[in-house]
Amino acid sequence: MIDTIKQKISGLLSDASVKGVVALKTANGHVTPCVFQKEDDLDMLSLGDMQASGDTRYPLNKVLITIARQYPDDVFGVLVRGCDERGLYTLYRLNQLDPDKVVPIGFCCPEELAKACECKKPYPDDPVAGEKTKEIFQNRMEEIEGMDISKRFSFWMDQFSKCIKCYGCRNICSMCFCRECSLECEDLVSKGSLPVDIPVFHLTRAMHMADRCIDCGLCEEACPSDIPLRVLYKKTSRIMNAEFGFTSGIEKQEKSPLSMLGPAPDN
Amino acid sequence: MDYRNTLTTCTYCGCGCNLFLESLDGRLTGTIPCKTGPVNEGKLCIKGWNVHQFVQSGKRLTKPLLRKNRKLEEVSWDEALDFIASRLKHIKAADGPDAVGFFASAKVTNEENYLMQKFARAAIGTNNVDHCARL
C-alpha cells in the first residue's frame, strides 16, 4: 500500500501540481508530521502505523491549515484516511481550507483499525490505496446508552472529574481552529483554578463539536486522563443525525443545519 | 517554504515529556505531543502544550539590564557579568555565602539548571537554591 502512495506523491511532486504534500515520516525512530517537497525524501514516508495500525496518527489537517494560512495561493497535497477526509470536507464547509488548493491522497484503513475506532466510514471517497471495509457498529456508545439515567449521569461526572484541564482535546483537534475559544471565556469556565468546572467545560466543547466532530479520535488519544471523549462526541453527532439527518463530513457540499436560519424542525 | 517538527523534551518539569516544536519558515507555530515518546505517549499537560510560547514572547529579556539610579539600563554582557561577580564576592565576604540565593528557571534545560545549583553550592557555598516551578 505504501508504495502505491509513494508513487502517487512522487507524481504530484514531479509535475509540480502541488507545492508540497503534508504527510508523516519516520525519523529518529519516531513518526512525525511533515511536508514532502522532494521526491528523494519519500523513503521516509510513514502511514502512521508504528506498532499497531494507526497508532501514530497526527492531525495533518491542522498542519495543512497552519501552512495554508501562510501560503494561501499554493496547492498542497495531504495524506488522508476516512476520518481526515471527513475533516477536509468539514473544513471546506467552514471556509478554513479552499478545496481548489487541496489535493487529498486517500487510503483505506484496515478492518482492525476500523473496529478499534468503531468507524462509520473507514475509507475516503476516492482512495489511492487499500480496500474499502464496512461500517462498524457503535458498541461503546450502546453500552453507555444502556445505563439508566442516574447511573449514566454519575458515569460521566466521574469521567469529567478526572480532567486536568490541559486543553489537549481542543489543541489536537483539526476542527478547533477558532481564534477565540469558548473554553477560555471566563463567563463559562473559571480561569486559573482546578478542578475544572464540570460538566460545563466538557459539555461546552461537546456542543461546539456537534456539527464539526468527524470522529477521528485524536482527542481521546491525547487525553492524559483517559476520558472517553470520543464516545461523548459520537453521541452529539448521533443527535445531529437523528434530528436533522446530518453527519459531519460525509457529504462534501452539505451545509450544517446549525448554520442555517429557518423554521424549527417539526418533531 | 520550510515546515519542520523538531523533536525535543519539555523544559517545564523533570518528567521529560517528548514533543515536537512545530515551525514554519523559522517561526514557532505550535507544540505537538510525540505519540512515540515513552514517557507521555502523545499526551501533555497544559504547560507542555504551551511550551513554544515563551520563546518568541515579546516580554522576554534579550539583553542584560542593570539598575542604575533606580532605572534599568541596557548594558554589555561584560559589564553585567563583572558587576555580578564583584557583588557576589563582596556579599559573600561581608555576610557569608548564605546571604546569597539562587533562582533557577523552568525555561532552560536540565543541564543548565544543574550548572546553576553546582555553582551555588560549590563556588559560592550555599544551599539557597530554588526554582520558579516550585511556587
Side-chain angles (χ1 to χ4, degrees):
Chain A
M1 184 151 79
I2 194 162
D3 291 330
T4 321
I5 295 169
K6 268 184 203 169
Q7 274 173 18
K8 172 74 180 174
I9 298 177
S10 188
L12 289 170
L13 290 174
S14 66
D15 66 14
S17 51
V18 296
K19 190 180 173 74
V21 174
V22 178
L24 297 168
K25 70 175 180 185
T26 310
N28 310 313
H30 295 276
V31 175
T32 320
C34 70
V35 179
F36 288 103
Q37 290 182 284
K38 288 192 292 228
E39 289 176 64
D40 295 345
D41 297 336
L42 284 171
D43 287 345
M44 295 188 289
L45 179 74
S46 162
L47 299 182
D49 311 315
M50 196 74 169
Q51 316 242 316
S53 182
D55 64 347
T56 44
R57 295 178 303 129
Y58 280 91
L60 297 181
N61 287 337
K62 192 153 204 152
V63 173
L64 184 59
I65 293 174
T66 303
I67 295 170
R69 280 181 178 168
Q70 208 65 34
Y71 291 88
D73 299 325
D74 292 302
V75 179
F76 290 93
V78 60
L79 193 64
V80 295
R81 292 173 183 271
C83 50
D84 300 311
E85 188 189 64
R86 296 195 293 275
L88 279 183
Y89 290 174
T90 305
L91 293 166
Y92 298 156
R93 166 165 67 82
L94 298 164
N95 297 319
Q96 297 305 308
L97 287 172
D98 178 353
D100 295 336
K101 304 287 181 198
V102 179
V103 180
I105 300 143
F107 66 105
C108 304
C109 291
E111 203 177 343
E112 168 200 358
L113 180 58
K115 274 186 180 157
C117 289
E118 296 189 346
C119 184
K120 55 185 168 269
K121 187 169 174 271
Y123 50 85
D125 281 338
D126 188 18
V128 170
E131 294 291 321
K132 290 185 180 181
T133 54
K134 281 184 303 221
E135 174 182 353
I136 307 291
F137 185 72
Q138 310 284 307
N139 280 318
R140 285 175 72 199
M141 200 166 57
E142 294 299 326
E143 200 180 303
I144 296 171
E145 295 263 87
M147 295 176 187
D148 69 54
I149 193 128
S150 63
K151 197 174 169 199
R152 204 185 325 157
F153 182 75
S154 60
F155 169 81
W156 281 114
M157 290 301 270
D158 287 350
Q159 292 294 337
F160 295 157
S161 69
K162 299 192 293 187
C163 178
I164 62 163
K165 210 181 180 182
C166 70
Y167 286 82
C169 48
R170 178 200 66 180
N171 294 345
I172 203 75
C173 181
S174 294
M175 301 304 118
C176 277
F177 49 76
C178 301
R179 290 182 194 272
E180 283 182 29
C181 178
S182 297
L183 299 181
E184 290 178 36
C185 169
E186 286 189 65
D187 296 329
L188 289 169
V189 178
S190 55
K191 197 175 177 180
S193 67
L194 275 173
V196 67
D197 310 59
I198 59 168
V200 172
F201 186 91
H202 304 86
L203 294 189
T204 300
R205 192 171 135 76
M207 291 295 283
H208 284 212
M209 285 290 109
D211 67 338
R212 287 192 188 190
C213 178
I214 41 90
D215 191 25
C216 69
L218 290 180
C219 50
E220 194 168 299
E221 289 178 19
C223 180
S225 306
D226 293 328
I227 301 170
L229 292 165
R230 193 171 189 171
V231 182
L232 183 67
Y233 307 140
K234 275 177 190 277
K235 173 66 185 176
T236 50
S237 164
R238 179 179 272 193
I239 296 170
M240 285 295 290
N241 190 274
E243 296 295 323
F244 302 104
F246 173 85
T247 304
S248 181
I250 296 287
E251 298 289 335
K252 192 174 180 182
Q253 306 291 345
E254 194 175 12
K255 288 222 163 74
S256 161
L258 300 187
S259 62
M260 284 184 255
L261 291 173
D266 37 316
N267 60 354
Chain B
M1 191 198 70
D2 182 14
Y3 175 85
R4 289 186 208 189
N5 275 305
T6 308
L7 181 65
T8 186
T9 309
C10 184
T11 58
Y12 272 133
C13 81
C15 289
C17 293
N18 288 170
L19 51 89
F20 297 108
L21 285 177
E22 183 192 50
S23 62
L24 182 58
D25 297 330
R27 299 276 306 166
L28 288 179
T29 49
T31 302
I32 303 175
C34 177
K35 288 196 162 179
T36 37
V39 174
N40 54 315
E41 298 178 335
K43 303 154 207 300
L44 284 174
C45 76
I46 192 163
K47 295 178 84 176
W49 269 110
N50 294 287
V51 74
H52 63 284
Q53 288 185 350
F54 67 78
V55 181
Q56 288 156 184
S57 167
K59 293 178 185 167
R60 188 171 172 172
L61 290 179
T62 52
K63 292 185 174 122
L65 301 175
L66 187 59
R67 199 178 299 280
K68 293 180 178 174
N69 301 320
R70 296 186 177 182
K71 269 176 65 183
L72 286 170
E73 283 180 29
E74 198 178 302
V75 294
S76 69
W77 276 107
D78 276 346
E79 188 181 343
L81 291 171
D82 285 349
F83 178 79
I84 294 165
S86 67
R87 288 295 295 152
L88 282 177
K89 275 184 192 161
H90 176 82
I91 294 166
K92 186 181 168 181
D95 300 301
D98 282 337
V100 185
F102 285 80
F103 281 87
S105 171
K107 297 181 178 69
V108 299
T109 62
N110 194 41
E111 289 73 13
E112 286 165 320
N113 275 324
Y114 177 83
L115 279 177
M116 166 70 115
Q117 65 81 33
K118 195 73 175 172
F119 179 72
R121 294 186 224 275
I124 303 293
T126 179
N127 289 322
N128 293 339
V129 179
D130 215 327
H131 187 281
C132 63
R134 209 183 63 83
L135 292 173

Short mmCIF file of all heavy atoms in Angstrom, two decimals, chain B residues 73-96:
data_model
loop_
_atom_site.label_atom_id
_atom_site.label_comp_id
_atom_site.label_asym_id
_atom_site.label_seq_id
_atom_site.Cartn_x
_atom_site.Cartn_y
_atom_site.Cartn_z
N GLU B 73 18.87 49.86 32.93
CA GLU B 73 19.53 50.34 31.70
C GLU B 73 20.18 49.16 30.99
O GLU B 73 20.69 48.25 31.63
CB GLU B 73 20.62 51.36 32.04
CG GLU B 73 20.08 52.73 32.38
CD GLU B 73 21.19 53.70 32.71
OE1 GLU B 73 22.32 53.53 32.20
OE2 GLU B 73 20.94 54.60 33.52
N GLU B 74 20.17 49.22 29.67
CA GLU B 74 20.80 48.17 28.89
C GLU B 74 22.33 48.30 28.99
O GLU B 74 22.86 49.42 28.83
CB GLU B 74 20.35 48.34 27.44
CG GLU B 74 20.55 47.13 26.61
CD GLU B 74 20.04 47.36 25.20
OE1 GLU B 74 18.86 47.68 25.03
OE2 GLU B 74 20.86 47.24 24.28
N VAL B 75 23.01 47.19 29.31
CA VAL B 75 24.47 47.23 29.40
C VAL B 75 25.06 46.05 28.61
O VAL B 75 24.33 45.15 28.20
CB VAL B 75 24.96 47.14 30.88
CG1 VAL B 75 24.55 48.38 31.66
CG2 VAL B 75 24.44 45.88 31.56
N SER B 76 26.37 46.04 28.43
CA SER B 76 27.02 44.94 27.72
C SER B 76 27.09 43.72 28.64
O SER B 76 26.97 43.84 29.86
CB SER B 76 28.43 45.35 27.31
OG SER B 76 29.24 45.47 28.46
N TRP B 77 27.28 42.53 28.03
CA TRP B 77 27.43 41.31 28.84
C TRP B 77 28.63 41.44 29.76
O TRP B 77 28.58 41.02 30.92
CB TRP B 77 27.59 40.08 27.93
CG TRP B 77 26.26 39.53 27.47
CD1 TRP B 77 25.72 39.63 26.23
CD2 TRP B 77 25.31 38.83 28.28
NE1 TRP B 77 24.49 39.04 26.20
CE2 TRP B 77 24.21 38.53 27.44
CE3 TRP B 77 25.28 38.43 29.60
CZ2 TRP B 77 23.10 37.85 27.91
CZ3 TRP B 77 24.16 37.74 30.06
CH2 TRP B 77 23.09 37.45 29.24
N ASP B 78 29.73 42.02 29.27
CA ASP B 78 30.94 42.18 30.11
C ASP B 78 30.64 42.98 31.36
O ASP B 78 30.99 42.59 32.48
CB ASP B 78 32.05 42.88 29.30
CG ASP B 78 32.82 41.88 28.46
OD1 ASP B 78 32.67 40.66 28.72
OD2 ASP B 78 33.56 42.31 27.56
N GLU B 79 29.95 44.10 31.16
CA GLU B 79 29.64 44.95 32.31
C GLU B 79 28.72 44.23 33.28
O GLU B 79 28.93 44.26 34.50
CB GLU B 79 29.00 46.26 31.84
CG GLU B 79 28.84 47.25 33.00
CD GLU B 79 28.16 48.56 32.59
OE1 GLU B 79 28.10 48.86 31.38
OE2 GLU B 79 27.70 49.28 33.51
N ALA B 80 27.70 43.52 32.75
CA ALA B 80 26.75 42.82 33.61
C ALA B 80 27.44 41.72 34.41
O ALA B 80 27.25 41.60 35.62
CB ALA B 80 25.63 42.23 32.75
N LEU B 81 28.28 40.92 33.74
CA LEU B 81 28.95 39.81 34.43
C LEU B 81 29.99 40.31 35.44
O LEU B 81 30.12 39.74 36.52
CB LEU B 81 29.60 38.86 33.39
CG LEU B 81 28.57 38.08 32.54
CD1 LEU B 81 29.26 37.36 31.39
CD2 LEU B 81 27.78 37.10 33.39
N ASP B 82 30.71 41.40 35.08
CA ASP B 82 31.67 41.99 36.03
C ASP B 82 30.95 42.44 37.30
O ASP B 82 31.41 42.24 38.41
CB ASP B 82 32.40 43.19 35.39
CG ASP B 82 33.46 42.73 34.39
OD1 ASP B 82 33.75 41.51 34.37
OD2 ASP B 82 33.97 43.58 33.64
N PHE B 83 29.79 43.06 37.08
CA PHE B 83 29.02 43.57 38.22
C PHE B 83 28.56 42.42 39.11
O PHE B 83 28.71 42.46 40.34
CB PHE B 83 27.81 44.37 37.71
CG PHE B 83 26.93 44.90 38.81
CD1 PHE B 83 27.30 46.04 39.52
CD2 PHE B 83 25.76 44.23 39.17
CE1 PHE B 83 26.50 46.52 40.56
CE2 PHE B 83 24.97 44.70 40.21
CZ PHE B 83 25.34 45.85 40.91
N ILE B 84 28.01 41.36 38.48
CA ILE B 84 27.52 40.19 39.24
C ILE B 84 28.67 39.57 40.04
O ILE B 84 28.56 39.31 41.25
CB ILE B 84 26.89 39.13 38.31
CG1 ILE B 84 25.62 39.69 37.66
CG2 ILE B 84 26.57 37.85 39.06
CD1 ILE B 84 25.12 38.88 36.47
N ALA B 85 29.82 39.36 39.38
CA ALA B 85 30.96 38.72 40.05
C ALA B 85 31.45 39.55 41.23
O ALA B 85 31.68 39.01 42.33
CB ALA B 85 32.09 38.49 39.03
N SER B 86 31.56 40.84 41.03
CA SER B 86 32.10 41.67 42.11
C SER B 86 31.12 41.74 43.28
O SER B 86 31.52 41.67 44.45
CB SER B 86 32.46 43.07 41.60
OG SER B 86 31.29 43.76 41.24
N ARG B 87 29.83 41.82 43.00
CA ARG B 87 28.84 41.90 44.08
C ARG B 87 28.76 40.56 44.83
O ARG B 87 28.65 40.54 46.05
CB ARG B 87 27.45 42.26 43.53
CG ARG B 87 27.29 43.68 43.05
CD ARG B 87 27.43 44.69 44.18
NE ARG B 87 26.36 44.58 45.15
CZ ARG B 87 26.48 44.92 46.44
NH1 ARG B 87 27.64 45.39 46.89
NH2 ARG B 87 25.46 44.79 47.28
N LEU B 88 28.79 39.44 44.09
CA LEU B 88 28.74 38.13 44.76
C LEU B 88 29.93 37.98 45.70
O LEU B 88 29.79 37.54 46.84
CB LEU B 88 28.71 37.00 43.73
CG LEU B 88 27.38 36.72 43.03
CD1 LEU B 88 27.54 35.62 41.99
CD2 LEU B 88 26.29 36.30 44.04
N LYS B 89 31.12 38.34 45.21
CA LYS B 89 32.33 38.26 46.06
C LYS B 89 32.19 39.13 47.29
O LYS B 89 32.51 38.72 48.41
CB LYS B 89 33.55 38.73 45.24
CG LYS B 89 34.17 37.63 44.40
CD LYS B 89 35.42 38.18 43.73
CE LYS B 89 35.93 37.26 42.65
NZ LYS B 89 36.83 37.94 41.73
N HIS B 90 31.70 40.34 47.06
CA HIS B 90 31.58 41.30 48.16
C HIS B 90 30.58 40.80 49.21
O HIS B 90 30.88 40.80 50.42
CB HIS B 90 31.12 42.66 47.60
CG HIS B 90 30.86 43.68 48.68
ND1 HIS B 90 31.88 44.41 49.26
CD2 HIS B 90 29.72 44.06 49.29
CE1 HIS B 90 31.36 45.20 50.19
NE2 HIS B 90 30.05 45.01 50.22
N ILE B 91 29.40 40.34 48.78
CA ILE B 91 28.36 39.89 49.73
C ILE B 91 28.84 38.65 50.49
O ILE B 91 28.67 38.54 51.71
CB ILE B 91 27.03 39.60 49.00
CG1 ILE B 91 26.45 40.90 48.43
CG2 ILE B 91 26.01 38.95 49.92
CD1 ILE B 91 25.35 40.72 47.42
N LYS B 92 29.48 37.73 49.78
CA LYS B 92 29.98 36.51 50.42
C LYS B 92 31.02 36.87 51.50
O LYS B 92 30.99 36.33 52.62
CB LYS B 92 30.57 35.58 49.36
CG LYS B 92 30.99 34.22 49.93
CD LYS B 92 31.60 33.32 48.87
CE LYS B 92 32.25 32.12 49.54
NZ LYS B 92 32.88 31.22 48.57
N ALA B 93 31.93 37.81 51.17
CA ALA B 93 32.97 38.20 52.12
C ALA B 93 32.37 38.94 53.31
O ALA B 93 32.74 38.70 54.47
CB ALA B 93 34.01 39.09 51.42
N ALA B 94 31.40 39.79 53.06
CA ALA B 94 30.86 40.63 54.14
C ALA B 94 29.87 39.87 55.02
O ALA B 94 29.91 39.99 56.24
CB ALA B 94 30.17 41.85 53.52
N ASP B 95 28.94 39.06 54.41
CA ASP B 95 27.86 38.44 55.17
C ASP B 95 27.80 36.93 55.11
O ASP B 95 26.86 36.32 55.63
CB ASP B 95 26.52 39.01 54.69
CG ASP B 95 26.44 40.52 54.89
OD1 ASP B 95 26.58 40.97 56.04
OD2 ASP B 95 26.29 41.24 53.88
N GLY B 96 28.72 36.31 54.42
CA GLY B 96 28.74 34.85 54.33
C GLY B 96 27.93 34.36 53.13
O GLY B 96 27.07 35.07 52.61
#
